[in-house]
Amino acid sequence: MKRIPILMDCDPGHDDAIAIILALSSEKLNVLGITTACGNQTIEKTTKNAQGICEFLGRRDIPIAKGRNAPLLTPVYTAGIAHGESGLDGPKLPEPVAPLQEESAVVFMAKKIESADEPVTLVPTGPLTNIATLILCYPHLIPKIGQIVLMGGSIVSGCSGRGASEFNIMVDPYAADIVFTSGVPIVMMGLDVTNYTTIGFDEKEKFRAAGRVGTLVADLADFFGRGFEMVGWCGVPVHDACTVAYLIDPSLFTMKEMNVRIDLTGEFTMGSTVGDYCGAEGREANALVGISSDRERFVELLLNACASYGKGDKEDE
Ligand code: RIB
Ligand code: CA
């Protein structure tokens, strides 16, 4: 089976961690590398977390490159309230062993795209700082970016940042504008779909029964889900894993093509993603936007992914 070559750009982050677990389990994906973004926590912390997840999974073979330490023009804005001081509070991850790549994230991505024998899919699940920098610094590589499947934004529902915006876009709206106007095909998994693509509070035991990786997912959901349970939400949204799940099985999602632009001037809407949902504005569609998901089948995919790592400790395998 031909595997889709992908580069993951993330800010682990509990749901980023689950996205990495899903991606590294799939026979359909070839993870060329992981780059880190400053978002949920500082770049040092998100990078250490990405290393710790790969170490936990026994995947020292996955190259990891550190990204920019701040958004393009806006100040650093982290989400310790959601992901904790470390950016991945809750479960205990092993100390990283494999060294980081010497190149920065953007140079690393450019080299991987340049040397690939087919277009590469970018899977950003944090602020789009690195992706925008790649586009600005290596415009000749744009034709070799097959698509950008991102977690970010929201068209009609909710925010996780300031005002009407979603966190990843809000943190670096100028980067998001560069990405959404780049001409690269975009798949946008925004809060409209990710807020409802959840692990049920009563489903965590199923993940624990799936072995050590399932237990890690349950522990991640325990910590990340605290706030959602407090407000009576329907479950723990696994925002970032929606990108990887879409690549593995697009039938899990209902999508709608539309033009999406980033508001860069609104006093209360700066960083929001404005979708021409009905095409009334006549702007050319630039994104395929997630509208809804088959939550049960998503959970089944995630459970099977966890089970595929085996039951025991990685040393026992
Ligand atoms: O709004 C959800 C997004 O913000 C997710 O990517 C989560 O990891 C945080 O970065
Ligand atoms: Ca994230």
Side-chain angles (χ1 to χ4, degrees):
M1 172 196 311
K2 189 134 186 58
R3 297 163 73 121
I4 304 169
I6 72 169
L7 284 167
M8 299 182 80
D9 185 63
C10 55
D11 61 337
H14 293 69
D15 50 335
D16 302 79
I18 298 174
I20 292 171
I21 288 167
L22 184 57
L24 293 181
S25 76
S26 176
E27 291 298 312
K28 293 188 177 181
L29 304 177
N30 176 15
V31 179
L32 301 176
I34 294 174
T35 53
T36 57
C38 170
N40 285 324
Q41 264 299 351
T42 62
I43 192 64
E44 299 303 333
K45 293 178 179 178
T46 59
T47 303
K48 184 179 179 197
N49 292 338
Q51 291 180 287
I53 296 153
C54 288
E55 180 63 25
F56 179 92
L57 297 174
R59 294 303 305 269
R60 295 177 183 170
D61 60 305
I62 299 293
I64 300 174
K66 183 160 76 170
R68 287 173 60 104
N69 64 0
L72 295 184
L73 298 174
T74 47
V76 172
Y77 182 88
T78 55
I81 191 168
H83 298 274
E85 187 49 37
S86 72
L88 212 47
D89 282 16
K92 179 94 180 79
L93 288 175
E95 283 301 308
V97 172
L100 290 174
Q101 297 300 298
E102 285 184 13
E103 308 99 325
S104 69
V106 174
V107 173
F108 172 79
M109 284 194 277
K111 285 184 175 177
K112 284 293 183 185
I113 294 166
E114 191 111 60
S115 59
D117 55 14
E118 63 183 308
V120 173
T121 293
L122 304 184
V123 185
T125 57
L128 294 166
T129 312
N130 296 328
I131 308 299
T133 307
L134 174 73
I135 289 168
L136 291 175
C137 296
Y138 299 89
H140 69 286
L141 291 181
I142 288 178
K144 288 200 73 180
I145 302 173
Q147 59 178 341
I148 297 174
V149 183
L150 64 90
M151 191 281 140
S154 77
I155 302 299
V156 293
S157 75
C159 65
S160 61
R162 291 190 298 255
S165 59
E166 179 278 327
F167 180 81
N168 288 340
I169 306 299
M170 175 274 292
V171 166
D172 198 339
Y174 296 101
D177 186 50
I178 289 165
V179 172
F180 276 79
T181 56
S182 66
V184 177
I186 289 171
V187 173
M188 174 181 139
M189 289 298 188
L191 296 178
D192 311 282
V193 62
T194 68
N195 263 342
Y196 305 94
T197 308
T198 59
I199 293 174
F201 299 117
D202 59 353
E203 291 176 321
K204 287 180 273 186
E205 285 322 302
K206 285 185 194 171
F207 281 88
R208 295 191 196 285
R212 64 189 288 272
V213 174
T215 300
L216 172 61
V217 168
D219 291 346
L220 290 164
D222 271 345
F223 186 88
F224 188 53
R226 301 167 352 280
F228 295 98
E229 197 153 14
M230 217 183 298
V231 299
W233 199 250
C234 53
V236 184
V238 199
H239 302 289
D240 294 333
C242 291
T243 57
V244 176
Y246 171 82
L247 284 169
I248 295 171
D249 182 357
S251 75
L252 289 173
F253 299 95
T254 303
M255 311 295 289
K256 183 172 175 49
E257 203 175 40
M258 68 181 82
N259 179 275
V260 177
R261 293 303 302 273
I262 312 300
D263 182 342
L264 296 175
T265 57
E267 184 182 357
F268 303 109
T269 55
M270 168 65 156
S272 53
T273 43
V274 182
D276 183 8
Y277 195 92
C278 304
E281 302 292 311
R283 296 195 299 262
E284 187 184 351
N286 61 344
L288 198 55
V289 176
I291 303 299
S292 63
S293 66
D294 183 330
R295 190 202 73 82
E296 285 70 23
R297 286 179 54 223
F298 169 84
V299 169
E300 186 186 354
L301 175 72
L302 205 44
L303 269 172
N304 291 337
C306 292
S308 73
Y309 285 93
K311 280 271 192 187
D313 208 358
K314 77 174 183 298
E315 282 74 29
D316 303 340
E317 284 155 17

